[in-house]
Amino acid sequence: MSEISVTLPDGSNRRVPAGTTAGEVAAGISPALARAAVAAIVDERMVDLTSPLTADARVRIVTNKSPEALPLYRHSTAHLMAAAVTNLFPGAQCGIGPATDEGFFYDFVVDRPFVPEDLEAIEKKMRDLAAADLPYERRMWPREQAKQFFLEHGEPLKVQLIEEKTEGQSEVSCYTIKDPETFVDFCVGPHVPSTGRLKAFKLLSASNAYWKGDARNQPMQRIYGTAFLAEADLKAHLQRIEEAKKRDHRKLGRELKLFWFHPWAAGEPFWLPKGTTLVHLLGNYMRGVLFPAGYVEVRAPLVFNKALWETSGHWAHYRGNMFLIASQGEEEQSGLKPMNCPGHMLLFGSEVRSYRDLPMRIHEQSVLHRMEASGVLSGLTRVREFIMDDAHIFLREDQIGEEVERLLRLVRRVYDDFGLTPEMNLSTRPAEFLGEKVTWDHAETELKKALEAAGQAYTIAEGDGAFYGPKIDFAVTDALGRKWQCATIQLDYQLPQQFDLKYIGADNAEHRPVVIHRAIFGSFERFIALLLEHYAGALPLWLAPVQVIVLPIADRHLDYAGSVRDRLATAGLRVEVDERQEKIGYKIREAQLQKIPYMLVTGDREAADGTVAVRSRAGGDQGGRSLDVFLSDARAEIEDKRAVTVA
């Protein structure tokens, strides 16, 4: 029998017979490694332990300590769940079941939606299958045989997948749990050796879905779950989920009376008085940052003729995401703007520009509309109507590096004020793009130079650029460790060309400007959702819609409470008085639930002394204080934008 050479991670070599499995290699190294092994990396490709080695190869054994182990476990647990579903619900059709960053899901066609009791039964069945320690086995079937098998077993979606993904192949990869009658799936693998390896898992929820995520396709039911390598990690994750539920911005939005939704305006928030205050606070804060930095604010129309969108390229590339308008008696269509950039192109081109005018920084905070599918709408994080802190910077080619560096400093300054630390990704040319490859390469190089000149660490997100140019995306991590996509800086050579924009250079000749698209909050809606969940609704004093509430102990203290309110309001604080005839303990609890930073209790002593009894949202009773001292302290806290401690 011929031998092959196996190179191990430490650089050592072993000679083994051709056909030796990865599991046998592990056993040859040590019995302990064989027991711990769950898969193997053979020449950078992960395979099952039963996979035979047929040529010289580099081999690394995957154990629970390997970074590849968790996705492997989650993928195998998705198959375990599908086996449980098909056993409990005869006739259920299987869709796809991938591992995700948070766990796994699997889509099914069933006669009715899953209910919580179903999930309990499915999870119990999964544990029974896991306890039986059934083997995962890869079977290579002739392509036509596999299609016929799934067709006979009532799995037409699997037949469709085989036809789409294995064209030209004579065999296809399928995985069983125990045997084809217990469970079989069309899958390239790999998987853990047996179900007994899977112990720390939990089913979380079920929701509506569609085949391939397209609402025009077969309706399905999706079950979400999670899995970990150890029970302690699962418990910690479930605790984070419970904490996330408490911090859910949709829940906080109702409780704090910030915003509201109605089915007659799906994906379009109603901003209530306190929420409107928060929107204005963010807008005015951003103006305060941008105006000293050389920006001017404009307002462009909300509705444009389709000729604008044809010129910009959005009619060809983005029309499916736009709200279109066909006015009665008008032959041509119009569209609500989904972004501000084309309108700003018209503004720049409305008069002759000189090189001395550049950089020209245009800022706009106006309502935008995008036709998001109803199934993906989610609170403030996925809406159809939103506001952006949008800006477009028109500049010369030689100004790109300096301007991007300025923007990087600006973004850092803003996020520092909110107690957030951004991470940066450079997103490069997507599969579908406008312009020439050489222009894209140049634009990507310019962004890399600016990041490196500013000393910024960044990662590359291949193919994630906008269709008109590469971009720098900023993500922040909240108090629960979740990442949120927020700011973006996009370099664009295409729109200036599409709109034939020009400026007169120092040589008195016409030149084409470059455009930087940039947003720092992103959408106000998404940024507010981030802040609410990061701070669990307890916003810092400078951001709180109501900063102070005055709590009179009895009706006889109302006049003094009113004078306290008037004094603080005159000084610029957002302050209310709780005039209800309720006990003071009840008023304090209500103020705490409303996450108001400071409560000022006024009774006989305070009215006589001209003081207030201060209670802090976070620190409780702070004792008596003169109004002047409290006001001075509050102003200082607002001025330095002191962030609250995040729990």
Side-chain angles (χ1 to χ4, degrees):
M1 180 181 294
S2 62
E3 289 190 335
I4 60 173
S5 175
V6 171
T7 303
L8 300 176
D10 64 0
S12 63
N13 291 88
R14 292 178 178 240
R15 304 291 298 181
V16 299
T20 298
T21 66
E24 289 169 341
V25 170
I29 297 171
S30 77
L33 182 60
R35 289 191 297 271
V38 291
I41 306 292
V42 177
D43 290 336
E44 310 305 324
R45 176 172 169 262
M46 188 157 62
V47 301
D48 300 302
L49 290 174
T50 55
S51 180
L53 306 177
T54 58
D56 293 351
R58 299 183 309 279
V59 177
R60 174 166 60 87
I61 303 302
V62 176
T63 70
N64 282 3
K65 296 180 180 179
S66 305
E68 300 87 356
L70 185 56
L72 175 72
Y73 268 61
R74 288 173 170 172
H75 186 194
S76 297
T77 308
H79 274 232
L80 182 68
M81 180 176 72
V85 169
T86 53
N87 274 263
L88 292 173
F89 297 85
Q93 293 183 47
C94 295
I96 59 171
T100 68
D101 290 343
E102 295 294 317
F104 59 88
F105 69 80
Y106 211 114
D107 292 341
F108 304 95
V109 178
V110 285
D111 294 335
R112 59 169 176 79
F114 291 117
V115 296
E117 292 77 13
D118 294 330
L119 298 192
E120 292 175 8
I122 293 166
E123 188 174 312
K124 181 180 183 304
K125 183 65 175 178
M126 291 171 67
R127 297 199 183 282
D128 291 342
L129 293 171
D133 197 22
L134 305 174
Y136 285 84
E137 183 181 354
R138 188 186 193 200
R139 302 194 179 196
M140 297 302 296
W141 286 349
R143 187 170 185 264
E144 293 305 315
Q145 176 186 328
K147 289 168 58 179
Q148 186 64 29
F149 176 89
F150 285 111
L151 189 62
E152 291 175 353
H153 285 73
E155 296 277 12
L157 299 181
K158 293 296 179 184
V159 176
Q160 183 180 336
L161 286 176
I162 291 172
E163 289 175 340
E164 292 174 353
K165 295 182 178 296
T166 66
E167 186 175 357
Q169 296 178 209
S170 60
E171 291 186 320
V172 297
S173 171
C174 296
Y175 275 82
T176 62
I177 293 179
K178 185 183 178 184
D179 54 51
E181 298 306 316
T182 301
F183 180 72
V184 64
D185 202 353
F186 164 57
C187 177
V188 296
H191 286 284
V192 296
S194 67
T195 59
R197 301 290 186 124
L198 309 174
K199 294 180 172 61
F201 57 81
K202 180 70 178 173
L203 299 190
L204 302 174
S205 63
S207 69
N208 295 325
Y210 296 98
W211 177 234
K212 297 182 178 178
D214 190 331
R216 297 168 296 184
N217 288 343
Q218 171 79 55
M220 307 187 79
Q221 283 285 295
R222 175 171 295 178
I223 298 179
Y224 291 96
T226 193
F228 285 86
L229 304 174
E231 190 68 29
D233 293 333
L234 174 63
K235 288 180 179 178
H237 179 75
L238 295 178
Q239 288 173 354
R240 286 194 296 272
I241 290 176
E242 288 305 308
E243 181 62 26
K245 289 178 181 177
K246 297 176 188 175
R247 293 170 178 257
D248 189 323
H249 74 277
R250 294 165 294 188
K251 173 176 176 287
L252 291 169
R254 291 190 303 271
E255 293 173 351
L256 303 181
K257 300 178 181 178
L258 298 173
F259 56 87
W260 176 67
F261 286 93
H262 191 280
W264 290 353
E268 300 177 77
F270 288 77
W271 289 104
L272 303 176
K274 291 180 183 178
T276 301
T277 297
L278 182 54
V279 171
H280 288 320
L281 283 169
L282 291 175
N284 290 333
Y285 163 83
M286 187 55 69
R287 292 181 178 98
V289 169
L290 296 182
F291 292 170
Y295 287 77
V296 294
E297 186 169 8
V298 300
R299 296 282 289 183
L302 298 180
V303 179
F304 286 96
N305 184 279
K306 77 170 185 178
L308 173 85
W309 309 114
E310 288 173 335
T311 301
S312 67
H314 289 93
W315 198 257
H317 295 272
Y318 202 78
R319 180 172 44 179
N321 299 94
M322 293 174 61
F323 283 89
L324 304 180
I325 300 172
S327 301
Q328 189 171 1
E330 296 287 339
E331 292 184 4
E332 292 192 351
Q333 286 183 297
S334 297
L336 285 172
K337 65 178 179 181
M339 63 277 296
N340 289 309
C341 35
H344 291 183
M345 301 301 122
L346 295 183
L347 279 173
F348 182 89
S350 65
E351 59 183 87
V352 176
R353 307 291 179 181
S354 164
Y355 72 96
R356 294 188 181 90
D357 300 326
L358 307 181
M360 180 178 174
R361 306 179 182 99
I362 298 177
H363 171 64
E364 181 169 1
Q365 296 178 19
S366 62
V367 175
L368 303 174
H369 291 84
R370 295 181 185 175
M371 175 50 85
E372 299 282 3
S374 59
V376 302
L377 298 175
S378 179
L380 297 179
T381 60
R382 201 70 178 267
V383 291
R384 289 174 172 168
E385 178 184 289
F386 58 98
I387 306 166
M388 289 189 73
D389 67 309
D390 215 355
H392 295 91
I393 303 165
F394 299 83
L395 67 168
R396 305 189 309 266
E397 181 86 22
D398 62 292
Q399 295 173 318
I400 291 174
E402 180 183 353
E403 190 67 22
V404 172
E405 286 185 58
R406 281 170 53 96
L407 282 171
L408 293 173
R409 291 193 295 270
L410 192 67
V411 172
R412 284 202 307 269
R413 177 260 172 96
V414 169
Y415 279 82
D416 282 348
D417 283 346
F418 290 90
L420 301 167
T421 302
E423 299 173 10
M424 301 179 198
N425 287 328
L426 174 58
S427 300
T428 59
R429 184 178 62 252
E432 185 177 351
F433 62 93
L434 286 176
E436 301 298 325
K437 183 178 180 296
V438 65
T439 305
W440 275 82
D441 291 343
H442 176 69
E444 290 171 11
T445 299
E446 288 298 313
L447 291 182
K448 287 178 183 177
K449 286 180 181 177
L451 283 163
E452 290 160 4
Q456 292 293 328
Y458 65 95
T459 56
I460 301 289
E462 295 287 353
D464 281 352
F467 69 84
Y468 49 77
K471 57 180 179 170
I472 300 170
D473 288 322
F474 298 77
V476 297
T477 302
D478 70 9
L480 295 184
R482 301 167 302 180
K483 289 192 183 298
W484 296 70
Q485 176 63 49
C486 295
T488 185
I489 298 172
Q490 303 176 2
L491 190 56
D492 183 5
Y493 288 82
Q494 307 306 324
L495 279 182
Q497 182 171 319
Q498 300 287 101
F499 283 86
D500 195 25
L501 301 184
K502 299 170 184 175
Y503 68 89
I504 305 302
D507 58 359
N508 210 33
E510 291 183 339
H511 298 270
R512 185 85 68 203
V514 182
V515 170
I516 295 176
H517 307 246
R518 76 105 194 98
I520 299 178
F521 292 154
S523 80
F524 279 53
E525 286 73 8
R526 185 175 178 81
F527 194 71
I528 287 172
L530 161 62
L531 293 176
L532 290 174
E533 298 200 10
H534 180 64
Y535 287 111
L539 297 172
L541 180 64
W542 72 278
L543 272 178
V546 177
Q547 296 170 309
V548 181
I549 189 163
V550 185
L551 306 177
I553 293 176
D555 283 354
R556 65 180 180 275
H557 308 123
L558 283 172
D559 287 345
Y560 179 63
S563 69
V564 170
R565 174 196 57 206
D566 293 345
R567 173 78 187 282
L568 296 179
T570 300
L573 269 64
R574 298 182 291 280
V575 57
E576 294 179 351
V577 176
D578 187 342
E579 298 180 344
R580 295 175 298 171
Q581 294 180 341
E582 299 284 356
K583 292 182 178 180
I584 191 64
Y586 178 83
K587 291 183 178 181
I588 290 171
R589 285 193 298 275
E590 286 285 292
Q592 284 285 156
L593 290 173
Q594 286 297 299
K595 315 278 188 183
I596 298 173
Y598 288 105
M599 294 144 268
L600 305 183
V601 179
T602 58
D604 290 336
R605 180 187 303 172
E606 289 78 23
D609 296 344
T611 60
V612 288
V614 180
R615 291 190 65 87
S616 161
R617 175 181 61 197
D621 186 5
Q622 306 291 297
R625 203 177 302 177
S626 75
L627 202 54
D628 286 341
V629 170
F630 172 78
L631 185 54
S632 176
D633 291 344
R635 280 172 168 165
E637 185 174 340
I638 292 168
E639 182 66 25
D640 68 9
K641 294 184 172 56
R642 196 179 312 154
V644 298
T645 301
V646 178

